Amino acid sequence: GSLPTRLDARRVVVVLADHGEYLGEHDLTGHMYYHFDPCLHVPLLVSGPGVPAGERRADLVSLVDVFPTLCDLADLDAPAGVEGRSIFGGPSREAVFAENGHREAPDLFRTHLPAATVDRLERGLKSVRTAEYLYTIDSAGEERLYERPGEMRVTDPGPEILASLRERVHRTLGETFPPGAQDDDYGDAIEADLRHLGYLS
């Protein structure tokens, strides 16, 4: 459809999400612990002056690109040190990255899952996604490679592919893993919301 008439011709509208949800894909539910497309490939809709009308693109984009894109559409330079790039200017990305720190698995997991599975879920995780591959490495050094699209696991990846993607992750995200959620003193309502969303156990 078109923009409501009350929005003037200078207005840019952006619709996005911070993460998706697993609804059985890869036998998963929720949105934590893994870096597959159902969780990380989120909607990003942009409308306004300077945005090609009706265009649907398949480029790799990161949410860090939203602010530089808005600056570009407003004919402003993004401040120095801002990550990301305009999705309408310059070359498209060759890769996007994700990471999460160590997490404490909920008691429900500890009760119903094998200890080795719980250990894996509690590890930090870093990943890089390219047009061809999803590569992940966790804080115990376990590497996994998946072909894209479809995210089917590559059971015997060549060492040169792993080395190239590992170096790319380390160069962009570093080699250390951040801590998970801190024991901050939240108000009761915020803590209940965070617990309900799965951020606290």
Side-chain angles (χ1 to χ4, degrees), residues 116-156:
T117 301
V118 172
D119 171 68
R120 184 164 184 269
L121 294 177
E122 291 187 327
R123 299 174 188 172
L125 187 67
K126 296 176 187 266
S127 66
V128 59
R129 174 180 278 91
T130 68
E132 299 86 19
Y133 295 110
L134 164 63
Y135 164 86
T136 67
I137 183 168
D138 68 28
S139 53
E142 184 176 342
E143 298 174 293
R144 292 178 180 233
L145 186 67
Y146 304 87
E147 287 183 333
R148 295 191 69 244
E151 298 180 322
M152 298 298 297
R153 184 155 182 207
V154 178
T155 55
D156 189 22

Side-chain angles (χ1 to χ4, degrees), residues 6-198:
R6 69 178 182 272
L7 295 180
D8 65 47
R10 296 169 299 158
R11 194 74 47 104
V12 174
V13 177
V14 179
V15 178
L16 51 82
D18 63 341
H19 59 74
E21 292 287 325
Y22 296 112
L23 300 172
E25 303 90 349
H26 299 282
D27 293 326
L28 299 170
T29 60
H31 61 262
M32 294 170 51
Y33 305 107
Y34 296 93
H35 291 181
F36 295 119
D37 272 353
C39 188
L40 296 187
H41 185 196
V42 297
L44 176 59
L45 303 154
V46 183
S47 181
V51 178
E55 183 176 87
R56 183 175 183 154
R57 295 169 51 176
D59 335 15
L60 292 170
V61 175
S62 177
L63 291 181
V64 298
D65 297 329
V66 172
F67 181 64
T69 298
L70 291 173
C71 289
D72 181 33
L73 291 173
D75 280 332
L76 299 171
D77 291 330
V82 168
E83 290 186 49
R85 61 181 75 174
S86 173
I87 61 177
F88 300 115
S92 59
R93 286 183 172 275
E94 294 179 7
V96 290
F97 300 85
E99 71 178 321
N100 59 265
H102 301 274
R103 296 183 167 129
E104 185 174 335
D107 290 339
L108 178 69
F109 286 16
R110 295 180 182 286
T111 303
H112 297 286
L113 295 176
T117 301
V118 172
D119 171 68
R120 184 164 184 269
L121 294 177
E122 291 187 327
R123 299 174 188 172
L125 187 67
K126 296 176 187 266
S127 66
V128 59
R129 174 180 278 91
T130 68
E132 299 86 19
Y133 295 110
L134 164 63
Y135 164 86
T136 67
I137 183 168
D138 68 28
S139 53
E142 184 176 342
E143 298 174 293
R144 292 178 180 233
L145 186 67
Y146 304 87
E147 287 183 333
R148 295 191 69 244
E151 298 180 322
M152 298 298 297
R153 184 155 182 207
V154 178
T155 55
D156 189 22
E160 65 285 345
I161 294 173
L162 289 179
S164 171
L165 293 170
R166 181 187 318 116
E167 191 276 330
R168 198 168 204 172
V169 165
H170 289 165
R171 184 182 48 204
T172 302
L173 301 177
E175 296 186 37
T176 60
F177 287 81
Q182 303 300 306
D183 294 328
D184 291 328
D185 185 19
Y186 302 109
D188 291 342
I190 293 175
E191 184 172 340
D193 286 345
L194 290 172
R195 193 173 307 285
H196 176 72
L197 289 168

